Amino acid sequence: MVWIQILLGIVSFLICNEVAIAFYIPGVAPVEFKAGAPIEVKAVKMTSTRTQLPYEYYSLPFCRPKNRTIYKSENLGEVLRGDRIVNTPYEVRMAEDVSCKLLCHSPDSPIHWTTEEQQKVVNRINHEYSVHLLVDNLPCATKVISSDDQYEHGYRLGFTDNGAFINNHLKLILHYHTVNDETYRVVGFEVEPLSIDLSELK
Protein backbone atom coordinates (compact mmCIF):
# COMPACT_ATOMS: atom_id res chain seq x y z
CA MET A 1 0.00 0.00 0.00
CA VAL A 2 2.85 2.33 0.88
CA TRP A 3 4.56 1.57 -2.45
CA ILE A 4 1.34 2.36 -4.33
CA GLN A 5 1.09 5.73 -2.57
CA ILE A 6 4.74 6.49 -3.39
CA LEU A 7 4.22 5.59 -7.06
CA LEU A 8 1.07 7.71 -7.25
CA GLY A 9 3.01 10.58 -5.71
CA ILE A 10 5.76 10.23 -8.33
CA VAL A 11 3.21 10.13 -11.17
CA SER A 12 1.46 13.22 -9.78
CA PHE A 13 4.79 15.03 -9.54
CA LEU A 14 5.68 14.14 -13.13
CA ILE A 15 2.30 15.34 -14.41
CA CYS A 16 2.57 18.62 -12.50
CA ASN A 17 6.16 19.04 -13.61
CA GLU A 18 5.15 18.45 -17.25
CA VAL A 19 2.59 21.25 -17.04
CA ALA A 20 5.09 23.56 -15.40
CA ILE A 21 7.64 23.24 -18.21
CA ALA A 22 5.16 23.78 -21.07
CA PHE A 23 6.28 26.48 -23.49
CA TYR A 24 4.87 28.67 -26.24
CA ILE A 25 5.75 27.94 -29.86
CA PRO A 26 5.87 31.15 -31.93
CA GLY A 27 3.38 31.23 -34.79
CA VAL A 28 1.20 28.44 -33.37
CA ALA A 29 -1.01 30.40 -30.98
CA PRO A 30 -4.27 31.61 -32.60
CA VAL A 31 -4.36 35.20 -33.83
CA GLU A 32 -7.37 37.38 -33.14
CA PHE A 33 -8.66 39.60 -35.95
CA LYS A 34 -11.11 42.47 -35.88
CA ALA A 35 -13.83 42.71 -38.52
CA GLY A 36 -12.36 44.07 -41.74
CA ALA A 37 -8.76 43.35 -40.72
CA PRO A 38 -6.55 42.03 -43.55
CA ILE A 39 -5.64 38.34 -43.41
CA GLU A 40 -2.55 37.29 -45.32
CA VAL A 41 -2.82 34.35 -47.68
CA LYS A 42 0.51 32.59 -48.16
CA ALA A 43 1.59 29.85 -50.54
CA VAL A 44 3.68 26.89 -49.42
CA LYS A 45 4.42 24.64 -52.41
CA MET A 46 2.96 22.31 -55.02
CA THR A 47 2.97 18.55 -54.49
CA SER A 48 1.76 15.45 -56.30
CA THR A 49 0.92 11.95 -55.13
CA ARG A 50 2.27 10.69 -58.45
CA THR A 51 5.75 12.15 -58.03
CA GLN A 52 8.09 12.79 -55.11
CA LEU A 53 9.18 16.20 -56.38
CA PRO A 54 7.67 19.33 -54.77
CA TYR A 55 7.82 22.70 -56.50
CA GLU A 56 7.69 26.18 -55.08
CA TYR A 57 4.57 28.21 -55.79
CA TYR A 58 6.13 30.74 -58.16
CA SER A 59 7.82 28.06 -60.25
CA LEU A 60 4.72 28.62 -62.41
CA PRO A 61 3.82 32.08 -63.79
CA PHE A 62 1.15 32.95 -61.21
CA CYS A 63 0.16 36.52 -60.40
CA ARG A 64 2.61 38.08 -57.96
CA PRO A 65 2.07 40.70 -55.22
CA LYS A 66 2.12 44.30 -56.43
CA ASN A 67 4.89 45.40 -54.09
CA ARG A 68 7.37 42.53 -53.83
CA THR A 69 7.62 38.81 -53.29
CA ILE A 70 8.70 37.93 -49.74
CA TYR A 71 9.84 34.45 -48.76
CA LYS A 72 9.54 33.42 -45.12
CA SER A 73 12.74 32.33 -43.37
CA GLU A 74 12.65 28.55 -43.07
CA ASN A 75 13.30 26.23 -40.16
CA LEU A 76 14.85 22.78 -40.57
CA GLY A 77 11.49 21.00 -40.78
CA GLU A 78 10.28 23.27 -43.59
CA VAL A 79 13.51 22.72 -45.51
CA LEU A 80 13.19 18.93 -45.21
CA ARG A 81 9.55 19.07 -46.39
CA GLY A 82 10.46 21.27 -49.35
CA ASP A 83 8.33 24.18 -48.10
CA ARG A 84 8.92 27.66 -49.54
CA ILE A 85 6.39 29.88 -47.77
CA VAL A 86 5.78 33.08 -49.72
CA ASN A 87 3.21 35.88 -49.87
CA THR A 88 0.51 36.02 -52.54
CA PRO A 89 -1.61 38.84 -54.02
CA TYR A 90 -4.88 37.47 -52.62
CA GLU A 91 -6.70 40.09 -50.54
CA VAL A 92 -8.85 38.70 -47.73
CA ARG A 93 -10.46 40.55 -44.84
CA MET A 94 -12.06 39.14 -41.73
CA ALA A 95 -15.85 38.70 -41.82
CA GLU A 96 -16.17 40.39 -45.23
CA ASP A 97 -17.72 38.70 -48.26
CA VAL A 98 -16.20 39.66 -51.59
CA SER A 99 -17.63 38.77 -54.98
CA CYS A 100 -15.52 37.62 -57.92
CA LYS A 101 -12.39 39.74 -58.23
CA LEU A 102 -9.62 39.54 -60.83
CA LEU A 103 -6.18 39.16 -59.36
CA CYS A 104 -3.75 40.87 -61.71
CA HIS A 105 -5.28 41.10 -65.18
CA SER A 106 -8.52 42.14 -66.87
CA PRO A 107 -10.71 40.40 -69.47
CA ASP A 108 -9.55 42.97 -72.02
CA SER A 109 -5.91 42.36 -71.16
CA PRO A 110 -5.57 38.68 -70.19
CA ILE A 111 -2.34 37.07 -69.09
CA HIS A 112 -0.22 35.55 -71.87
CA TRP A 113 2.08 32.61 -71.23
CA THR A 114 4.90 31.52 -73.47
CA THR A 115 4.78 28.09 -75.09
CA GLU A 116 7.33 26.88 -72.54
CA GLU A 117 5.25 28.20 -69.62
CA GLN A 118 2.09 26.62 -71.01
CA GLN A 119 3.81 23.26 -71.37
CA LYS A 120 5.09 23.46 -67.81
CA VAL A 121 1.56 24.08 -66.50
CA VAL A 122 0.13 21.24 -68.61
CA ASN A 123 2.84 18.89 -67.34
CA ARG A 124 1.99 19.71 -63.70
CA ILE A 125 -1.72 19.21 -64.34
CA ASN A 126 -1.07 15.86 -66.02
CA HIS A 127 0.92 14.81 -62.95
CA GLU A 128 -1.99 15.84 -60.70
CA TYR A 129 -0.21 18.53 -58.73
CA SER A 130 -1.97 20.28 -55.86
CA VAL A 131 -1.32 23.80 -54.61
CA HIS A 132 -0.97 24.40 -50.87
CA LEU A 133 -1.97 27.73 -49.31
CA LEU A 134 -1.92 28.98 -45.72
CA VAL A 135 -4.08 31.37 -43.72
CA ASP A 136 -2.97 32.09 -40.16
CA ASN A 137 -0.83 28.91 -40.31
CA LEU A 138 -3.87 26.82 -41.25
CA PRO A 139 -3.48 24.83 -44.50
CA CYS A 140 -6.20 24.97 -47.11
CA ALA A 141 -8.32 21.95 -47.95
CA THR A 142 -10.72 21.03 -50.74
CA LYS A 143 -13.96 19.17 -50.16
CA VAL A 144 -14.18 15.90 -52.08
CA ILE A 145 -17.13 16.12 -54.47
CA SER A 146 -18.44 12.65 -53.67
CA SER A 147 -18.45 13.25 -49.91
CA ASP A 148 -19.84 15.90 -47.56
CA ASP A 149 -17.27 15.42 -44.81
CA GLN A 150 -14.12 14.34 -46.62
CA TYR A 151 -11.36 16.75 -47.64
CA GLU A 152 -8.03 16.58 -49.42
CA HIS A 153 -4.97 18.73 -48.75
CA GLY A 154 -4.56 21.80 -50.94
CA TYR A 155 -6.46 22.31 -54.17
CA ARG A 156 -5.90 20.71 -57.57
CA LEU A 157 -3.94 22.86 -60.01
CA GLY A 158 -6.22 21.64 -62.78
CA PHE A 159 -7.79 18.59 -64.40
CA THR A 160 -7.75 16.65 -67.66
CA ASP A 161 -10.76 16.09 -69.91
CA ASN A 162 -9.70 15.72 -73.55
CA GLY A 163 -7.03 18.27 -72.71
CA ALA A 164 -5.58 20.03 -69.67
CA PHE A 165 -7.58 22.74 -67.90
CA ILE A 166 -6.22 24.97 -65.15
CA ASN A 167 -8.30 25.95 -62.14
CA ASN A 168 -8.04 29.70 -62.70
CA HIS A 169 -10.85 30.70 -60.31
CA LEU A 170 -10.58 30.13 -56.57
CA LYS A 171 -13.30 30.62 -53.99
CA LEU A 172 -11.58 31.13 -50.64
CA ILE A 173 -13.79 30.18 -47.69
CA LEU A 174 -12.64 31.09 -44.19
CA HIS A 175 -14.35 29.49 -41.21
CA TYR A 176 -14.00 31.60 -38.10
CA HIS A 177 -14.92 31.59 -34.43
CA THR A 178 -16.35 34.67 -32.75
CA VAL A 179 -14.28 35.48 -29.66
CA ASN A 180 -16.42 38.47 -28.68
CA ASP A 181 -18.37 41.23 -30.43
CA GLU A 182 -15.22 42.65 -32.01
CA THR A 183 -12.68 39.86 -32.52
CA TYR A 184 -12.58 36.60 -34.45
CA ARG A 185 -10.25 33.62 -34.91
CA VAL A 186 -9.75 31.65 -38.11
CA VAL A 187 -10.52 27.97 -37.48
CA GLY A 188 -10.68 26.58 -41.02
CA PHE A 189 -9.59 27.37 -44.57
CA GLU A 190 -11.37 25.85 -47.56
CA VAL A 191 -10.83 26.39 -51.28
CA GLU A 192 -13.29 25.70 -54.10
CA PRO A 193 -11.34 25.66 -57.39
CA LEU A 194 -12.99 26.19 -60.78
CA SER A 195 -11.88 26.49 -64.38
CA ILE A 196 -13.59 29.45 -66.07
CA ASP A 197 -13.31 30.42 -69.72
CA LEU A 198 -12.28 33.99 -70.50
CA SER A 199 -15.55 34.60 -72.36
CA GLU A 200 -17.49 34.05 -69.12
CA LEU A 201 -15.77 37.05 -67.54
CA LYS A 202 -16.73 39.53 -70.25
Side-chain angles (χ1 to χ4, degrees):
M1 188 69 179
V2 175
W3 282 106
I4 293 176
Q5 291 177 344
I6 293 174
L7 288 173
L8 288 175
I10 293 174
V11 171
S12 299
F13 170 76
L14 290 175
I15 293 174
C16 293
N17 193 44
E18 186 70 24
V19 174
I21 63 173
F23 60 92
Y24 162 69
I25 302 175
V28 175
V31 178
E32 295 182 355
F33 299 90
K34 291 187 177 181
I39 304 175
E40 189 173 15
V41 180
K42 298 179 181 179
V44 184
K45 59 184 174 182
M46 286 180 278
T47 62
S48 170
T49 56
R50 295 183 57 185
T51 73
Q52 300 300 317
L53 184 62
Y55 289 97
E56 70 150 315
Y57 182 71
Y58 288 118
S59 62
L60 292 183
F62 292 131
C63 294
R64 289 178 177 262
K66 295 179 181 178
N67 297 327
R68 63 189 179 117
T69 304
I70 303 173
Y71 285 90
K72 173 184 173 293
S73 57
E74 300 171 329
N75 57 42
L76 180 59
E78 291 168 344
V79 172
L80 294 176
R81 291 193 304 268
D83 294 354
R84 290 283 283 145
I85 300 176
V86 64
N87 60 331
T88 68
Y90 294 107
E91 296 179 357
V92 177
R93 294 185 178 275
M94 175 55 74
E96 285 189 4
D97 291 332
V98 178
S99 59
C100 183
K101 184 177 180 181
L102 292 174
L103 207 56
C104 61
H105 291 269
S106 66
D108 297 326
S109 179
I111 188 171
H112 290 286
W113 288 342
T114 65
T115 302
E116 182 180 353
E117 289 172 333
Q118 293 177 36
Q119 188 56 48
K120 186 183 293 186
V121 173
V122 170
N123 183 60
R124 301 273 177 91
I125 293 174
N126 288 335
H127 283 86
E128 299 179 0
Y129 269 85
S130 293
V131 181
H132 300 274
L133 302 177
L134 286 177
V135 162
D136 193 23
N137 287 321
L138 291 174
C140 74
T142 306
K143 185 177 291 186
V144 178
I145 297 177
S146 59
S147 175
D148 292 333
D149 55 0
Q150 187 175 354
Y151 291 81
E152 59 182 19
H153 294 291
Y155 72 88
R156 293 294 180 94
L157 176 63
F159 60 93
T160 56
D161 183 12
N162 293 323
F165 297 85
I166 188 170
N167 285 320
N168 57 357
H169 181 278
L170 302 181
K171 183 178 182 181
L172 307 181
I173 304 172
L174 266 62
H175 302 276
Y176 57 85
H177 168 70
T178 303
V179 179
N180 52 48
D181 293 338
E182 296 183 350
T183 56
Y184 308 84
R185 289 178 182 171
V186 180
V187 296
F189 180 25
E190 185 179 342
V191 175
E192 291 183 3
L194 293 170
S195 183
I196 296 181
D197 189 82
L198 177 63
S199 61
E200 298 181 41
L201 298 176
K202 294 183 178 180

